[in-house]
Amino acid sequence: MRRLIAAAVTVLVAAALAVGAAVGVVALLDATPDQPNTPLISYDTAPAVP
């Protein structure tokens, strides 16, 4: 009986760790970057010719 309880507790702890890791990964992927996404090179547009 003790082995069954130990196995059940182990499964519950492993499931909780897996859910916590998944939530953490989703939170990291949803985070906005610190640096803004600005282009390194910008081309000036020529003035319109009348």
Side-chain angles (χ1 to χ4, degrees):
M1 188 66 177
R2 284 187 180 224
R3 284 189 171 185
L4 181 63
I5 293 172
V9 169
T10 303
V11 168
L12 289 175
V13 169
L17 285 174
V19 169
V23 169
V25 167
V26 169
L28 283 175
L29 290 175
D30 197 29
T32 56
D34 294 337
Q35 183 178 1
N37 188 14
T38 56
L40 296 175
I41 299 172
S42 61
Y43 298 100
D44 295 329
T45 56
V49 177

